[in-house]
């Protein structure tokens, strides 16, 4: 059982891409209501989930995130009319790419949280943190980043010629 202040062997780094109008406001409500939840989440707010480029998710994993959360207004309640519908379609297709590159989809969560759902924010962040904590650190992209750094060295005339002709 988790008690307040308990330390774990592994504390996951979770990156949350959230919309300003709903999920960010819901997270703010949780904070101002003094609801307790893990401090593992770093929140990045966007005007709308429709503005979140899926490449940001890959970049988050590449930069060391162990889990990623994308959350915005409930479908039909978007402040920009259809932004969350665009996001939902985009991320449904994007999941196949994540599977292809070897990311366990358990490390990624898409959710809708309104400004009045501070309790839902707490539950969602707590569940995601616990799930990712049990999965352990994300190593796949860190290893890939090291390979890219190694292979990115253009130190021979042949490589320079090929690189410059691209």
């Amino acid at each position: 059982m988790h008690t307040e202040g308990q330390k774990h062997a592994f504390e996951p780094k979770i990156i949350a891409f959230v919309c300003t109008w709903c999920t960010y406001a819901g997270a703010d409500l949780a904070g101002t209501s003094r609801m307790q939840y893990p401090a593992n989440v770093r929140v990045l707010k966007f005007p709308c989930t429709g503005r979140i480029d899926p490449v940001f998710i890959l970049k988050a994993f590449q930069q060391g995130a162990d889990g990623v959360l994308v959350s915005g207004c409930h479908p039909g309640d978007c402040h920009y009319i259809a932004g969350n519908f665009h996001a939902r379609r985009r991320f449904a297709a994007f999941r196949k790419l994540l599977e292809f590159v070897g990311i366990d989809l358990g490390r990624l969560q898409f959710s809708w949280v309104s400004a009045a759902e501070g309790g839902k924010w707490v539950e969602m962040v707590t569940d995601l943190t616990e799930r990712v904590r049990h999965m352990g650190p994300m190593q796949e992209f860190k290893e890939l980043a090291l390979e890219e750094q190694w292979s990115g060295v253009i130190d021979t005339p042949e490589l320079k010629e090929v690189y410059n002709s691209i």
Side-chain angles (χ1 to χ4, degrees), residues 6 15 30 44 48 55 59 73 78 84 110 113 116 130 142:
Q6 179 181 353
I15 302 297
L44 300 170
C48 178
V55 172
K59 191 69 171 172
C73 302
C78 179
N84 52 10
F110 295 98
V113 174
E130 287 301 317
K142 292 175 189 172

Side-chain angles (χ1 to χ4, degrees), residues 131-150:
R131 184 171 68 234
V132 173
R133 182 178 287 130
H134 284 81
M135 295 174 84
M138 170 95 174
Q139 297 296 328
E140 295 81 3
F141 267 38
K142 292 175 189 172
E143 293 167 7
L144 180 61
L146 289 175
E147 288 176 21
E148 285 177 359
Q149 289 172 3
W150 177 83

